Amino acid sequence: MSSRTNISCLQEAKRVAIFGGTHGNEMSGITLVNMWIQNSAEIERNGLVIKPFISNPRAVEKCTRYIDTDLNRAFTPENLSAPDVEGLPYEVQRAKEMNRMFGPKGSSDAYDAIFDLHNTTSNMGSTLILESSTDLFNLQMVHYIKKAMAPHTCSVLLNEHPQLKYSTTRSVAKHPIGLEVGPQPQGVLRSNVFEFMRTILKHALDFIELFNSGVEFPPCTVDVFRVQERMDYPRDTNGNITAMVHPHLQDCDWEPLNRGDPMFLTFDGRTVLYEGANTVYPTFINEAAYYEKQQAFMTTCREILAANAIRKACK
């Protein structure tokens, strides 16, 4: 990357993958990717190699989140460098295969961009997930998508937290982007969620095509929600949940949670209040897939990120 008069010149994005079925019961991405595998005309763009791909076919076949372990946490250095021996968890085997196909992770040979399509049972609407606050290409892309989606809201979740960031399937790419659209129950396909996901992908691919054609994107700012903390349910000494998400918090993703606001409702009717010092913005509230991860919701803070103007680097 080079910079002249605050314009950052970036390498063009030639190879793009679209992952569906990283979790085998999140139906929008699975359906879209299978549709595009059969007929890719909708996602074709000039000068781009675009590969739609089912990440976890065994889980998709069984309509379950995963077989042995969560594929979206499996792309660790330890897993990717593990010897190819019998007995590896299925998703670790799959991570190694995908790293060979779309990586290697962290190398110049890796795919330029990977979009990983997910559904959530939480009331998050359309959410773009970033893994870096300094990836100018992705910041400009999400800014373009948010403008194109208006008046519909498209939130941006930034996860750089050293303890809460995980090794995602998309992390193989130079520019990884997660797309989370809900609410949608597991194993169910809702038309409105399907169409939002489809439209966001259209705008994302349009952006890449424009960038590759030489269009310069001016400086911009992006409102993001930065991951802060994972909040668990209240539990007894045996680890059993003793409370539910409070009705005043349920379905209020991205809305402010202030000190003293209701957070949980115990099974015997007692309200547990939020006692944090600062206002936070919860998300993934009461996500069905996160009960096993001991997470009731995730707290975030709001930030504004600035991005330089970008254009394709001259050859």
Side-chain angles (χ1 to χ4, degrees):
M1 181 182 75
S2 64
S3 180
R4 186 176 78 246
T5 62
N6 294 324
I7 299 174
S8 295
C9 297
L10 310 178
Q11 294 300 312
E12 65 180 319
K14 297 179 180 179
R15 295 186 300 162
V16 176
I18 305 170
F19 291 171
T22 294
H23 296 133
N25 54 8
E26 298 178 3
M27 299 304 295
S28 299
I30 294 167
T31 307
L32 283 167
V33 165
N34 278 328
M35 182 179 77
W36 291 330
I37 289 172
Q38 294 296 317
N39 183 354
S40 63
E42 181 179 332
I43 57 172
E44 289 174 358
R45 297 294 188 277
N46 289 330
L48 273 180
V49 174
I50 300 177
K51 185 173 180 61
F53 184 79
I54 294 294
S55 307
N56 197 334
R58 289 190 191 174
V60 170
E61 183 180 359
K62 293 182 178 296
C63 196
T64 188
R65 183 175 175 85
Y66 56 79
I67 300 300
D68 294 323
T69 191
D70 194 332
L71 181 61
N72 210 33
R73 309 293 189 276
F75 286 73
T76 63
E78 296 78 14
N79 284 344
L80 298 182
S81 62
D84 292 316
V85 296
E86 289 188 18
L88 279 181
Y90 169 68
E91 279 80 10
V92 174
Q93 298 176 43
R94 192 66 175 162
K96 289 167 63 64
E97 293 169 7
M98 292 171 66
N99 188 52
R100 287 191 288 266
M101 293 176 66
F102 299 100
K105 181 175 177 176
S107 77
S108 60
D109 292 329
Y111 262 57
D112 296 294
I114 293 177
F115 298 96
D116 194 17
L117 310 185
H118 290 268
N119 292 123
T120 174
T121 62
S122 301
N123 190 34
M124 292 170 61
S126 299
T127 303
L128 295 159
I129 304 178
L130 300 181
E131 301 187 3
S132 170
S133 59
T134 60
D135 185 333
L136 297 179
F137 184 84
N138 275 357
L139 288 174
Q140 286 280 1
M141 187 192 304
V142 300
H143 177 259
Y144 178 91
I145 294 169
K146 283 169 68 71
K147 284 182 63 178
M149 290 296 292
H152 299 290
T153 300
C154 193
S155 302
V156 180
L157 179 65
L158 171 65
N159 190 354
E160 290 182 314
H161 194 290
Q163 279 77 51
L164 300 181
K165 188 174 181 177
Y166 45 89
S167 299
T168 61
T169 57
R170 58 190 175 268
S171 66
V172 170
K174 297 183 182 78
H175 304 292
I177 291 211
L179 177 52
E180 195 87 46
V181 187
Q184 179 169 282
Q186 296 172 351
V188 171
L189 191 61
R190 290 185 55 172
S191 58
N192 61 325
V193 172
F194 176 92
E195 290 299 337
F196 274 124
M197 184 174 284
R198 185 181 200 171
T199 302
I200 289 169
L201 255 294
K202 173 199 176 303
H203 295 314
L205 297 176
D206 288 348
F207 168 86
I208 297 174
E209 183 180 40
L210 288 169
F211 173 80
N212 286 348
S213 74
V215 171
E216 182 179 307
F217 292 88
C220 70
T221 58
V222 181
D223 295 318
V224 304
F225 293 87
R226 180 184 288 272
V227 170
Q228 284 192 311
E229 187 179 3
R230 179 189 295 128
M231 303 292 290
D232 192 11
Y233 296 90
R235 297 176 185 272
D236 63 22
T237 55
N238 294 319
N240 298 310
I241 290 174
T242 60
M244 306 161 283
V245 171
H246 194 279
H248 289 177
L249 178 59
Q250 181 64 52
D251 298 329
C252 293
D253 296 75
W254 310 122
E255 297 183 19
L257 179 66
N258 303 298
R259 184 179 178 87
D261 286 347
M263 186 168 59
F264 296 111
L265 182 66
T266 66
F267 298 153
D268 59 6
R270 180 174 58 88
T271 295
V272 178
L273 304 178
Y274 177 64
E275 297 181 353
N278 301 311
T279 297
V280 295
Y281 298 84
T283 192
F284 283 110
I285 297 172
N286 206 12
E287 163 60 50
Y290 289 170
Y291 276 76
E292 69 172 39
K293 301 184 189 303
Q294 299 186 333
Q295 178 180 308
F297 59 90
M298 184 178 284
T299 65
T300 71
C301 63
R302 298 191 71 167
E303 288 186 17
I304 298 177
L305 300 180
N308 289 353
I310 66 169
R311 68 179 176 212
K312 184 179 71 171
C314 299
K315 294 182 179 179

